């Protein structure tokens, strides 16, 4: 299979049509590669803005794209997507994280009223793939493209970052360093109805232990040294959207504070546990 790594740049613009802000796409950048990651073709186009007539100073400073440049050289969004559809036909579309695909869906819905992107056949979240291969998955924070490049020893100095084509090429460099032909398929999904349900599902932090979705039998913490279940000394209290309680190891008698985060995801309830504060052992405590 061939892959198309896509990156987008956008400008936040208030729309009188929908009465809220829209991340209006101002640039497409992409690179097409084969299964050996050899470059087949590239794609780079500016989009003439229709929602916001002027690029914000922050986006202009970040991307070095000017309003005048977009007005003079940009093409309409729908015209650009038609060209990109031809460019990516039959390929797996990759983006770093899902924000680009969600923004593409929002823009497509703004112009057509449809939330699905008709030319998107198969999709891969390259960020998720790299986190898995590098064993760097952290539910509290996602691995940024530049951070990933630094960890992999990829030099991005002198490159015009925060431009769509350059960031797409940097994503390719990260893919090249982590590429496993046998594993990449596990992260490729068909863009069917379930794909869109999963993509648009809003994760929710659960803060009520009475919620029937929470399996209370899993609300325990093991001692990090003895690896046995600790005794819970206090009831859970909610703080900073986490369940907190005091624990003691029955073997080494170590006291510690434990924290449990519970999040409802598309695939079910995700429970994360960690020891927050260790306390000295009280030798007189039975």
């Amino acid at each position: 299979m061939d892959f198309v790594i896509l990156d987008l740049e956008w400008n936040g613009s208030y729309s009188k049509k929908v009465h809220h802000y829209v991340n209006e796409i101002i640039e497409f950048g992409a690179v097409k590669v084969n299964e050996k990651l050899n470059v087949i073709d590239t794609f780079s186009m500016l989009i003439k803005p229709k929602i916001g007539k002027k690029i914000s100073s922050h986006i202009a400073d970040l991307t070095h794209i000017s309003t005048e440049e977009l007005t003079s050289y940009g093409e309409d969004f729908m015209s650009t997507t038609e060209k990109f559809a031809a460019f990516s036909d039959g390929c797996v579309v990759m983006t770093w994280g899902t924000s680009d695909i969600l923004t593409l869906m929002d823009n497509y819905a703004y112009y057509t009223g449809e939330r699905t992107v008709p030319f998107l056949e198969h999709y891969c979240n390259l960020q998720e793939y790299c986190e898995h291969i590098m064993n760097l998955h952290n539910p509290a924070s996602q691995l940024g493209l530049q951070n990933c490049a630094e960890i992999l020893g990829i030099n991005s100095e002198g490159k015009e970052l925060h431009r769509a084509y350059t960031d797409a090429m940097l994503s390719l460099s990260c893919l090249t360093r982590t590429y496993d032909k046998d594993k990449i398929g596990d992260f490729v999904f068909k863009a069917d109805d379930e794909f869109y349900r999963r993509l648009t599902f809003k994760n929710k932090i659960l803060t009520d232990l009475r919620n029937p979705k929470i399996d209370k039998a899993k609300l325990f913490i093991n001692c990090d040294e003895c690896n046995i279940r600790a005794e819970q000394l206090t009831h859970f209290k909610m703080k900073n959207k986490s369940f907190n309680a005091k624990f003691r190891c029955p073997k080494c008698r170590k006291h510690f504070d434990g924290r449990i985060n519970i999040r409802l995801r598309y695939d079910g309830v995700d429970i994360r546990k960690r020891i927050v504060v260790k306390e000295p052992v009280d030798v007189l405590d039975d």
Side-chain angles (χ1 to χ4, degrees):
M1 70 182 78
D2 293 341
F3 305 107
V4 166
I5 302 175
L6 170 67
D7 190 89
L8 304 171
E9 301 296 335
W10 59 77
N11 178 59
S13 304
Y14 184 80
S15 168
K16 294 181 180 180
K17 173 183 175 182
V18 294
H19 305 293
H20 60 72
Y21 278 89
V22 176
N23 289 325
E24 183 176 15
I25 297 172
I26 58 174
E27 186 179 34
F28 270 66
V31 55
K32 182 191 297 186
V33 297
N34 59 21
E35 284 191 343
K36 296 182 179 180
L37 303 189
N38 296 320
V39 176
I40 301 172
D41 202 355
T42 61
F43 186 94
S44 181
M45 291 188 68
L46 294 173
I47 312 297
K48 185 179 298 184
K50 297 292 185 182
I51 305 172
K53 301 302 181 182
K54 186 178 181 180
I55 303 301
S56 72
S57 58
H58 170 70
I59 297 299
D61 292 341
L62 188 68
T63 64
H64 303 292
I65 299 174
S66 67
T67 302
E68 292 73 21
E69 187 179 5
L70 293 176
T71 303
S72 300
Y73 304 106
E75 295 196 22
D76 292 339
F77 173 80
M78 292 305 298
S79 173
T80 302
T81 56
E82 288 177 6
K83 293 179 180 179
F84 181 77
F87 174 83
S88 62
D89 185 38
C91 300
V92 175
V93 174
M94 294 177 159
T95 62
W96 191 268
T98 59
S99 58
D100 281 345
I101 285 298
L102 290 169
T103 300
L104 181 60
M105 289 169 56
D106 287 343
N107 279 246
Y108 201 84
Y110 182 86
Y111 287 104
T112 69
E114 298 292 332
R115 285 285 295 170
T116 59
V117 181
F119 55 81
L120 185 64
E121 300 175 5
H122 291 85
Y123 172 75
C124 174
N125 181 345
L126 185 53
Q127 179 190 61
E128 186 178 55
Y129 167 78
C130 287
E131 287 178 339
H132 175 79
I133 295 297
M134 299 165 66
N135 195 27
L136 292 175
H137 177 68
N138 182 356
S141 62
Q142 295 181 324
L143 179 65
L145 176 57
Q146 288 179 288
N147 287 340
C148 182
E150 290 176 5
I151 294 171
L152 294 172
I154 300 168
N155 185 5
S156 60
E157 291 184 7
K159 296 181 180 179
E160 193 177 13
L161 299 178
H162 303 296
R163 289 300 299 263
Y165 175 71
T166 305
D167 285 354
M169 292 300 295
L170 185 59
S171 298
L172 173 58
S173 297
C174 292
L175 174 60
T176 301
R177 295 288 180 92
T178 59
Y179 187 54
D180 188 322
K181 185 178 179 180
D182 295 328
K183 294 181 179 179
I184 192 71
D186 294 337
F187 294 84
V188 175
F189 296 92
K190 184 178 180 181
D192 54 14
D193 291 341
E194 182 182 359
F195 165 79
Y196 284 103
R197 286 194 296 269
R198 179 187 296 271
L199 187 64
T200 56
F201 183 83
K202 302 296 184 183
N203 293 337
K204 180 182 179 182
I205 296 175
L206 301 182
T207 58
D208 187 349
L209 286 177
R210 295 171 297 180
N211 192 307
K213 295 183 180 295
I214 298 176
D215 184 355
K216 296 178 180 59
K218 295 181 179 180
L219 301 184
F220 65 88
I221 294 182
N222 289 342
C223 174
D224 60 344
E225 295 186 10
C226 303
N227 197 31
I228 62 174
R229 182 167 177 167
E231 300 172 351
Q232 185 173 337
L233 304 178
T234 62
H235 294 296
F236 281 115
K237 291 184 178 180
M238 175 57 56
K239 183 179 180 181
N240 297 328
K241 298 183 179 180
S242 301
F243 294 101
N244 299 266
K246 292 188 178 296
F247 294 83
R248 177 182 62 181
C249 176
K251 182 177 181 181
C252 70
R253 303 295 182 88
K254 182 174 297 182
H255 289 234
F256 59 86
D257 291 347
R259 177 177 296 169
I260 297 180
N261 298 91
I262 307 176
R263 188 182 295 268
L264 180 62
R265 300 182 183 275
Y266 180 83
D267 295 317
V269 175
D270 180 46
I271 299 177
R272 303 283 173 166
K273 313 171 186 180
R274 66 188 182 100
I275 293 174
V276 183
V277 179
K278 297 180 181 179
E279 299 179 354
V281 177
D282 186 347
V283 296
L284 298 179
D285 187 1
D286 292 325

